[in-house]
Amino acid sequence: MMSIKKIYLYLFLVFCSSYTLADTIDLERKFNIYAKLPLVPKVSVMEIATSLNIKNQKYFYDFSIKSKNIVEFINQVNGNGQVDGVIDNIYRPTNYLYKYTRKKKEKYVEMSYSDNAVEKIINLPKVDKSQLSTVSDDMLVGTIDPSSFFLNLLDYEKTKKCKNKFKIFDGKRRYDVVFTNITKNKKNNSIECEANQIRLGGYKSDENVSDVFAASDYIKVIYSENNNNHFIGYEAKNGPIKIIIEEI
């Protein structure tokens, strides 16, 4: 028969083991990015592979972007990045870096954060700020990077059930994404959350932004109503071009 001390020791070990397992998460996910023009079927243009590690309220997020089919109206992008940070109601970064190739040009972005604000920015090649609308230091307070923004969108609760406002800075452009409307689609038991993207700084005055992620006419995020509000998809539109993100 097991002694009282052994029973207590056993329960203590079980409790500690359960706590450790509950406090540590490793999750890999893949997403397809589609582009669509009116009257034309959607075309898979990119694939995103992500790896998320959460431990003790800190997160480590690796991602890679790979172009697939070539279409004239979407720039090909291939790159890798990583971000780490803390979970404070939302995923909030402390360090971010992204190395990618667009239009056969290699680019690099690195940012570090302190006291809930961007502390250091490295852009290679350097950004000519004289051609862009102003991004002041005050505008960088409370911002997160684009990959952390996407990570937050994957969790319905992190969006405050689609009532949140996200301040985003990608190293050059500064914009807000503000949720404006929530509807429930009874046909497919989904929750559709609409948002506006507001350009604030880092854009050219006469710029026709082809990057749908940096300039969208509207954003819609879709969650399952019955399956723990699981992420179903993301839609964004810039002019005639619609971008759709779905998990593989």
Side-chain angles (χ1 to χ4, degrees), residues 36-42 240:
K36 188 182 185 310
L37 288 173
L39 305 178
V40 177
K42 65 182 182 182

Side-chain angles (χ1 to χ4, degrees), residues 6-245:
K6 288 183 178 180
I7 291 175
Y8 281 134
L9 177 60
Y10 173 79
L11 291 175
F12 174 78
L13 292 174
V14 169
F15 173 80
C16 290
S17 176
S18 299
Y19 177 81
T20 302
L21 290 172
D23 204 37
T24 302
I25 296 175
D26 286 295
L27 183 63
E28 294 185 357
R29 303 173 77 170
K30 289 186 177 181
F31 304 85
N32 264 331
I33 301 180
Y34 300 90
K36 188 182 185 310
L37 288 173
L39 305 178
V40 177
K42 65 182 182 182
V43 179
S44 179
V45 293
M46 297 179 200
E47 181 178 298
I48 303 175
T50 67
S51 175
L52 173 65
N53 175 266
I54 296 175
K55 188 174 183 179
N56 298 328
Q57 292 301 109
K58 295 182 179 181
Y59 73 97
F60 306 88
Y61 197 51
D62 293 338
F63 61 94
S64 65
I65 300 175
K66 183 179 180 182
S67 291
K68 299 172 76 172
N69 299 304
I70 300 175
V71 293
E72 294 181 358
F73 50 90
I74 295 291
N75 292 326
Q76 281 195 303
V77 177
N78 293 283
N80 296 278
Q82 56 186 166
V83 56
D84 56 72
V86 296
I87 303 174
D88 179 18
N89 295 319
I90 66 170
Y91 293 102
R92 191 170 294 282
T94 53
N95 293 283
Y96 166 84
L97 65 87
Y98 179 35
K99 184 178 181 180
Y100 63 101
T101 302
R102 176 185 288 166
K103 295 182 179 180
K104 298 182 180 180
K105 295 180 180 179
E106 292 188 357
K107 299 187 178 185
Y108 177 84
V109 183
E110 181 178 344
M111 293 186 286
S112 60
Y113 302 75
S114 178
D115 296 327
N116 199 29
V118 177
E119 181 182 45
K120 181 180 71 173
I121 309 168
I122 298 174
N123 276 295
L124 299 175
K126 290 185 177 180
V127 175
D128 184 1
K129 295 182 180 180
S130 66
Q131 303 295 317
L132 306 174
S133 54
T134 302
V135 177
S136 65
D137 290 341
D138 290 342
M139 293 169 64
L140 299 180
V141 175
T143 60
I144 61 176
D145 65 276
S147 59
S148 293
F149 167 62
F150 180 67
L151 181 58
N152 280 298
L153 290 186
L154 297 178
D155 188 336
Y156 181 65
E157 296 300 324
K158 293 288 188 295
T159 69
K160 292 184 180 178
K161 299 180 179 179
C162 295
K163 296 178 182 178
N164 213 341
K165 170 184 175 181
F166 290 99
K167 300 178 179 181
I168 303 152
F169 179 62
D170 64 6
K172 175 184 175 183
R173 299 187 179 104
R174 171 71 177 86
Y175 54 91
D176 284 348
V177 173
V178 183
F179 283 97
T180 59
N181 190 43
I182 307 172
T183 58
K184 293 186 178 181
N185 189 327
K186 294 182 179 180
K187 291 183 179 180
N188 57 10
N189 294 318
S190 65
I191 301 171
E192 299 181 356
C193 303
E194 298 177 13
N196 289 332
Q197 186 174 26
I198 304 169
R199 306 183 206 180
L200 297 175
Y203 296 85
K204 294 182 180 179
S205 59
D206 59 346
E207 183 176 17
N208 180 18
V209 183
S210 59
D211 186 348
V212 178
F213 299 102
S216 302
D217 298 330
Y218 84 88
I219 292 173
K220 181 189 290 185
V221 190
I222 308 169
Y223 303 93
S224 170
E225 188 175 11
N226 296 334
N227 187 20
N228 295 321
N229 302 130
H230 184 75
F231 173 84
I232 294 178
Y234 170 98
E235 295 180 8
K237 191 172 182 291
N238 184 355
I241 304 172
K242 180 185 286 188
I243 291 294
I244 301 167
I245 302 178

